[in-house]
Amino acid sequence: MSQSHSKSGGVDRRHAASFGPKIIFAGLHAGLVAVCFWLAFGGFDWPDGARAKLLAVCAMIYFFRHLITLFLLLKRRVELSETLGLTAFIAVFEIGFLLLGAGLLSGEEKAFGPLDAVGLLLLVTGSYLNSGSEFQRMVWKRRAESKGKCFTGGLFAYSMHINYFGDVLLFTGWAILTSSVFAFAVPLFMAVSFVFFHIPSLDAYLAQRYGEDFKRYAAKTAKLVPFLY
């Protein structure tokens, strides 16, 4: 595959171990989680310390899922520039969410309620849809008869980009747990970037790679939200 055809959505789709950048990425992310735990459990007098602790745990859960993605599920090349850029983005929402939930802006303690249960459910469901769908694809791709074919089964039968939809749900749930309207800028930004940037460029790449098989799949399958869009 030519280099021009291997690029989509701002990333290099060619397979490569990229062990060095992945180790750096994991180390930087671990540092961000450490900062979150320091902020939540380091003796700061936050207006809402309990919510800050919950959000630090959310950051840790996301970190462990990130490790699985980096070292098990992700087969494509990872560039150092991508590592640094995504680390900065992760810092914005992991530390930003925690500070919002801790009451840095509101100065208030928000009691946990039914909406927080919805947030946790969305976070867990979104994590499953993203990592679960990627795991299904990885297992299928390892079969000899799958070589050169486009995976359209499992969770991807309900949405062409069910992994992206999982991320939107995950970050919506995470934003809910902050109890701050400002946090919803993150899932909104992700949804818009998926719809207008990542999905169109990835679809163009997949259409070039899989031809008619991908076109038939795209014609009958929701693009992002199962059964709706």
Side-chain angles (χ1 to χ4, degrees):
M1 183 180 299
S2 69
Q3 185 171 352
S4 62
H5 288 153
S6 67
K7 290 276 188 178
S8 71
V11 299
D12 194 331
R13 298 284 170 185
R14 291 174 295 180
H15 284 199
S18 303
F19 193 68
K22 288 180 179 181
I23 286 291
I24 294 172
F25 201 171
L28 291 173
H29 193 176
L32 295 177
V33 174
V35 170
C36 287
F37 270 76
W38 172 64
L39 291 171
F41 296 92
F44 293 92
D45 188 22
W46 299 114
D48 199 339
R51 195 170 291 273
K53 291 178 174 63
L54 173 62
L55 291 163
V57 172
C58 290
M60 182 178 66
I61 292 171
Y62 185 74
F63 170 67
F64 284 124
R65 214 203 81 189
H66 185 209
L67 290 181
I68 293 171
T69 299
L70 274 179
F71 297 106
L72 177 64
L73 302 176
L74 190 64
K75 306 300 181 183
R76 65 167 177 79
R77 183 189 301 268
V78 177
E79 302 289 351
L80 182 59
S81 57
E82 179 186 0
T83 290
L84 297 177
L86 287 177
T87 297
F89 180 57
I90 292 172
V92 168
F93 66 75
E94 285 191 345
I95 297 175
F97 279 2
L98 188 146
L99 293 175
L100 287 172
L104 180 66
L105 296 183
S106 68
E108 298 176 353
E109 180 180 5
K110 304 289 183 64
F112 291 112
L115 191 58
D116 294 299
V118 173
L120 284 172
L121 179 62
L122 289 176
L123 188 146
V124 171
T125 302
S127 297
Y128 167 71
L129 291 178
N130 184 288
S131 296
S133 63
E134 295 283 7
F135 182 77
Q136 290 176 338
R137 178 162 55 188
M138 181 192 72
V139 171
W140 182 84
K141 285 283 189 180
R142 287 178 174 176
R143 301 173 185 170
E145 64 270 22
S146 302
K147 186 175 182 180
K149 297 180 181 178
C150 181
F151 180 52
T152 62
L155 292 168
F156 282 99
Y158 301 98
S159 164
M160 294 167 59
H161 303 282
I162 193 72
N163 49 342
Y164 290 167
F165 178 61
D167 266 347
V168 174
L169 290 186
L170 185 164
F171 285 96
T172 300
W174 203 340
I176 288 173
L177 293 175
T178 70
S179 194
S180 172
V181 67
F182 296 107
F184 289 93
V186 173
L188 178 61
F189 168 78
M190 295 188 73
V192 169
S193 66
F194 286 150
V195 171
F196 294 103
F197 178 64
H198 293 289
I199 287 177
S201 59
L202 180 54
D203 282 358
Y205 163 79
L206 293 172
Q208 185 275 330
R209 181 172 183 180
Y210 296 112
E212 290 301 319
D213 285 345
F214 178 77
K215 292 179 182 179
R216 285 191 293 269
Y217 171 54
K220 65 179 183 180
T221 310
K223 194 170 290 290
L224 180 65
V225 183
F227 312 113
L228 292 178
Y229 166 73

